[in-house]
């Protein structure tokens, strides 16, 4: 697994370098050089809102499962978790840290803590998939792509992938049913009972909105203002590409997706790559700086206890 992870990281980062070289390095550099300060500050602010809302969603989910901790701890731990997820290869190191640091013996221990983290992440991913599904259904009407512009291999690949997904779903339906049955009480507590659904939907929608608006601002910052319809079509696909286990923190797959999709709305692949680089850089900076401050504060507190 470790070798596969190293190979995946290498492929993702090498692919990013190749994309920049193959597109137009001069055009990408020119686009990056004209990013307005106002856009940078706006995206950085949105990142803070997104992290705070995510921390509140996590605390709400944990509370529904019987685990309670103060809001300030949820925010502190989410900052630390986010910076670890974005800078370490696995992408889940921060989540594991959250589980370890908030577990206790009075509320189910690490299993209850792990379930809260898993369900909180599930809430966010489900919101992304819903938005992406809406965009794909609306695509032919709001952002048509000529059918004759799609190659035969792509169509066959899409068809075979769909068949494979359906077959896999049928093959593992019993496993999925058993998994759902086992988790039903936790799912009901976190997502359904006592108005939980409204809270989860509201928080997840706001968080996804922060992601999407940040990407729109990043693209506008490099001189490629996307149409509003991009918020439900091409941007969700770029964000979902970050789940591909290549590179670190989504770097590579996100830029490749942007390079492929930006020409569909009248911009160049270089502008798509530049927009993705700006988005990635600003979100990383907006997460890393507060997260490192949290880590440094925790280190100082631990050292002071030893003295």
């Amino acid at each position: 697994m470790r070798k596969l992870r190293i190979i995946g990281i290498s492929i993702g980062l090498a692919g990013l370098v190749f994309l920049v070289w193959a597109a137009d390095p001069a055009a990408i550099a020119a686009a990056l050089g004209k990013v307005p300060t106002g856009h940078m500050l706006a995206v950085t602010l949105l990142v803070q809102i997104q992290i705070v809302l995510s921390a509140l969603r996590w605390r709400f989910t944990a509370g529904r499962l019987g685990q309670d901790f103060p809001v300030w701890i949820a925010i502190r731990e989410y900052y630390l978790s986010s910076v670890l997820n974005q800078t370490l290869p696995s992408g889940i190191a921060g989540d594991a840290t959250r589980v370890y640091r908030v577990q206790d013996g009075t509320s189910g221990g690490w299993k209850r803590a792990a379930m809260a983290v898993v369900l909180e992440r599930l809430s966010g991913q489900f919101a992304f998939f819903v938005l992406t599904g809406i965009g794909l259904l609306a695509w032919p009407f709001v952002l048509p792509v000529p059918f004759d512009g799609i190659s035969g291999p792509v169509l066959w690949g899409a068809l075979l992938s769909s068949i494979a997904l359906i077959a896999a779903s049928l093959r593992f339906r019993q496993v999925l049913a058993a998994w759902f049955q086992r988790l039903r009480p936790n799912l009901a507590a976190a997502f359904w009972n006592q108005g939980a659904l409204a809270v989860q939907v509201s928080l997840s929608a706001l968080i996804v909105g922060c992601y999407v608006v940040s990407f729109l601002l990043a693209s506008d910052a490099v001189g490629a203002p996307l149409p509003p319809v991009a918020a439900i079509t091409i941007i969700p696909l770029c964000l979902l590409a970050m789940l591909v286990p290549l590179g670190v923190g989504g770097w590579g797959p996100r830029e490749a997706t942007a390079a492929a999709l930006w020409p569909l709305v009248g911009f160049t692949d270089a502008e798509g790559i530049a927009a993705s680089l700006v988005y990635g850089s600003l979100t990383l900076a907006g997460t890393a700086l507060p997260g490192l401050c949290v880590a440094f504060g925790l280190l100082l507190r631990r050292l002071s206890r030893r003295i």
Side-chain angles (χ1 to χ4, degrees):
M1 290 297 293
R2 187 174 182 180
K3 291 182 179 179
L4 290 176
R5 190 174 299 164
I6 293 174
I7 293 173
I9 294 171
S10 302
I11 292 174
L13 297 180
L16 177 58
V17 173
F18 174 77
L19 277 172
V20 173
W21 173 80
D24 189 346
I28 294 175
L32 294 176
K34 61 183 180 183
V35 176
T37 303
H39 285 64
M40 297 173 62
L41 294 176
V43 173
T44 303
L45 176 61
L46 282 171
V47 172
Q48 312 317 308
I49 296 173
Q50 164 211 315
I51 291 177
V52 171
L53 290 174
S54 298
L56 294 177
R57 183 178 63 189
W58 171 41
R59 181 176 180 269
F60 174 81
T61 303
R64 285 308 181 97
L65 299 182
Q67 183 185 30
D68 190 29
F69 42 84
V71 172
W72 68 270
I73 288 182
I75 295 174
R76 182 193 69 186
E77 296 303 323
Y78 217 97
Y79 267 112
L80 184 61
S81 170
S82 297
V83 69
L84 291 176
N85 282 344
Q86 289 202 36
T87 56
L88 295 179
S90 66
I92 60 172
D95 297 325
T97 301
R98 272 195 285 158
V99 172
Y100 175 77
R101 288 178 54 82
V102 302
Q103 63 175 322
D104 58 72
T106 61
S107 56
W110 71 267
K111 291 184 178 180
R112 185 59 57 88
M115 181 60 64
V117 170
V118 168
L119 293 183
E120 183 268 326
R121 290 295 297 268
L122 178 64
S123 178
Q125 298 303 331
F126 183 73
F128 268 118
F129 282 116
V130 169
L131 179 62
T132 305
I134 293 173
L136 290 176
L137 291 174
W139 194 301
F141 307 100
V142 298
L143 195 65
V145 178
F147 184 81
D148 56 4
I150 304 176
S151 64
V154 171
L155 289 175
W156 277 109
L159 177 60
L160 292 176
S161 298
S162 301
I163 294 174
L165 287 173
I166 294 173
S169 300
L170 294 175
R171 172 66 178 82
F172 294 105
R173 65 185 185 278
Q174 293 182 344
V175 175
L176 293 174
W179 180 82
F180 179 80
Q181 187 68 24
R182 187 170 64 253
L183 295 183
R184 181 189 290 183
N186 290 326
L187 290 171
F191 295 109
W192 189 256
N193 295 345
Q194 299 176 340
L197 182 62
V199 177
Q200 292 282 4
V201 169
S202 299
L203 288 173
S204 294
L206 289 172
I207 293 165
V208 170
C210 288
Y211 280 107
V212 171
V213 174
S214 295
F215 223 130
L216 286 171
L217 286 172
S219 189
D220 186 70
V222 300
L226 296 173
V229 71
I232 62 170
T233 52
I234 66 175
I235 289 180
L237 293 177
C238 289
L239 294 172
L240 283 179
M242 297 173 64
L243 299 178
V244 177
L246 296 175
V248 179
W251 293 89
R254 182 184 59 226
E255 284 71 33
T257 306
L261 295 179
W262 258 240
L264 298 180
V265 288
F267 298 107
T268 65
D269 54 352
E271 288 172 322
I273 294 172
S276 185
L277 290 174
V278 169
Y279 170 82
S281 300
L282 292 178
T283 53
L284 177 59
T287 302
L289 292 178
L292 291 175
C293 289
V294 169
F296 185 67
L298 292 173
L299 178 61
L300 288 179
R301 189 172 68 175
R302 177 169 294 186
L303 291 175
S304 65
R305 288 178 177 176
R306 292 183 179 180
I307 296 176

